[in-house]
């Protein structure tokens, strides 16, 4: 299978040219097949972007509902008990679907939200560089999260079933949350896939989040790929360390060789999206490309 490398829209639209055609050309010149779409700090005219892409050998990898660069995503409320929070998540999914249809790419990536816990939360974002994620702190929050885990997984299955039924023209994949309260851990994801066994739901591997979970929770990042590689629809690349998430490839703990070994051997193309924190300097692009080239990405 041929790997196709995409650059995430949030970083590209902040650091690249503002005019659509120039932006798309700059991505092609930097060795990307196109763009992976996700919410970012800038409002984007996706119809105009699609029109510009039609004049170029440029593709879109699909749409991620909820921005991966922040833990304050409307998707956090996907399994909330409060109706208003679930409705906000529903609107985020509907917006992602609408964008996917505009772009002509029926692929939407989403996470299953976070588990509600009682009391104040000191921190939950695995990408927060100002917080010292010790094993004790992580396990304490996980213990609080586990109280509501089963009920949240049940709601996730019901909500996902309704989403899949509501948008039969869209291919959905599920990915990890950067919040330690996230519904999706490896066990919960197995439960979700078992419950929705006859539905069209794929797995989208977020390499940075899985690496950060390994660093904080001692969860092997490869267990996700081993368990769900058979339904792997794509990957989000970018590195992870105590300094944060979505760092330049090679700057953290992501095992790119491991990730590359799970790229499916069949099919026409396999999308990988390089997601970058907005603080990453554009001058690092040559080194990032070299790192990805080394592993066949």
């Amino acid at each position: 299978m041929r790997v196709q490398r995409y650059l995430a829209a949030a970083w590209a639209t902040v650091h690249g040219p503002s005019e659509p055609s120039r932006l798309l050309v700059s991505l092609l010149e930097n060795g990307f097949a196109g763009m992976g779409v996700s919410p970012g700090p800038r409002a984007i005219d996706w119809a105009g972007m699609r029109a510009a892409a039609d004049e170029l050998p440029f593709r879109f990898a699909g749409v991620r509902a909820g921005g991966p660069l922040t833990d304050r995503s409307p998707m956090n409320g996907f399994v909330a008990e409060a109706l208003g929070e679930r409705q906000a998540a529903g609107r985020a999914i509907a917006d992602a679907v609408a964008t996917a249809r505009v772009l002509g790419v029926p692929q939407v990536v989403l996470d299953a939200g976070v588990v509600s816990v009682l009391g104040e939360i000191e921190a939950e974002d695995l990408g927060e560089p100002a917080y010292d994620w010790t094993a004790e702190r992580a396990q304490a929050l996980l213990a609080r999260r586990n109280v509501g885990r089963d009920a949240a997984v049940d709601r996730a299955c019901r909500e996902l079933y309704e989403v899949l039924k509501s948008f039969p023209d869209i291919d959905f994949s599920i990915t990890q949350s950067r919040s330690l309260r996230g519904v999706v851990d490896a066990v919960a994801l197995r439960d979700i896939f078992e419950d929705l066994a006859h539905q069209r739901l794929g797995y989208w591997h977020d390499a940075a989040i899985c690496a950060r979970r390994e660093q904080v929770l001692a969860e092997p990042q490869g267990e996700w790929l081993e368990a769900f590689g058979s339904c792997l629809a794509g990957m989000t690349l970018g590195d992870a360390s105590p300094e944060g998430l979505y760092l330049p490839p090679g700057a953290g703990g992501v095992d790119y060789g491991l990730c590359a070994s799970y790229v499916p051997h069949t099919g026409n193309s396999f999308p990988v999206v390089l997601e970058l924190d907005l603080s990453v300097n554009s001058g690092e692009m040559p080194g990032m490309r070299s790192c990805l080239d080394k592993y066949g990405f």
Side-chain angles (χ1 to χ4, degrees), residues 1-279:
M1 176 177 283
R2 183 164 58 97
V3 171
Q4 288 196 319
R5 182 196 303 170
Y6 298 83
L7 184 60
W11 191 91
T13 55
V14 167
H15 291 271
S18 58
E19 198 275 320
S21 293
R22 291 179 57 219
L23 173 61
L24 303 193
V25 168
S26 73
L27 266 65
L28 294 172
E29 291 176 343
N30 274 286
F32 295 96
M35 184 185 294
V37 178
S38 60
R42 292 187 176 176
I44 307 298
D45 174 11
W46 290 113
M49 201 73 75
R50 167 68 186 274
D54 285 343
E55 303 298 322
L56 298 165
F58 191 95
R59 301 183 181 186
F60 296 94
V63 182
R64 188 158 170 170
L69 297 184
T70 174
D71 66 334
R72 302 303 177 192
S73 167
M75 287 304 299
N76 283 358
F78 186 68
V79 295
E81 295 180 12
L83 177 60
E85 293 183 52
R86 294 201 308 275
Q87 289 175 331
R91 288 192 294 271
I93 294 172
D95 289 345
V97 167
T99 300
R101 287 169 174 165
V102 166
L103 297 175
V105 182
Q107 173 69 251
V108 171
V109 180
L110 50 85
D111 67 62
V114 299
V115 181
S116 297
V117 300
L118 296 175
E120 296 295 321
I121 300 172
E122 188 175 76
E124 61 181 288
D125 182 6
L126 288 167
E128 174 53 65
Y131 191 73
D132 181 16
W133 276 113
T134 64
E136 292 76 14
R137 285 172 166 174
Q139 291 302 325
L141 181 55
L142 274 184
R144 295 169 63 192
R145 171 253 187 205
N146 289 343
V147 172
R149 177 264 186 203
D150 290 348
V153 171
D154 287 343
R155 284 194 295 273
C157 292
R158 292 197 300 270
E159 294 294 324
L160 284 167
Y161 178 81
E162 291 301 322
V163 167
L164 297 173
K165 184 174 70 172
S166 298
F167 304 107
D169 59 321
I170 300 294
D171 295 322
F172 286 93
S173 296
I174 193 164
T175 193
Q176 294 84 2
S177 168
R178 62 187 290 149
S179 171
L180 198 55
R181 291 193 294 132
V183 172
V184 171
D185 58 20
V187 176
L189 192 53
R190 287 191 190 95
D191 292 343
I192 290 170
F193 275 116
E194 287 177 5
D195 188 84
L196 301 173
H198 301 295
Q199 304 299 317
R200 63 191 195 291
L201 182 65
Y203 169 61
W204 191 282
H205 183 72
D206 192 308
I209 292 178
C210 290
R212 192 71 186 115
R213 290 181 68 93
E214 181 178 71
Q215 292 161 1
V216 174
L217 303 171
E219 295 178 355
Q221 55 188 287
E223 73 173 341
W224 298 84
L225 291 163
E226 180 65 26
F228 310 113
S230 62
C231 50
L232 187 63
M235 294 185 187
T236 294
L237 302 179
D239 231 309
S241 80
E243 300 304 313
L245 288 171
Y246 306 118
L247 305 176
V254 170
D255 188 337
Y256 291 95
L258 175 70
C259 290
S261 70
Y262 281 90
V263 171
H265 296 296
T266 59
N268 295 324
S269 64
F270 181 77
V272 297
V273 178
L274 177 59
E275 186 79 55
L276 296 171
D277 187 85
L278 300 182
S279 65

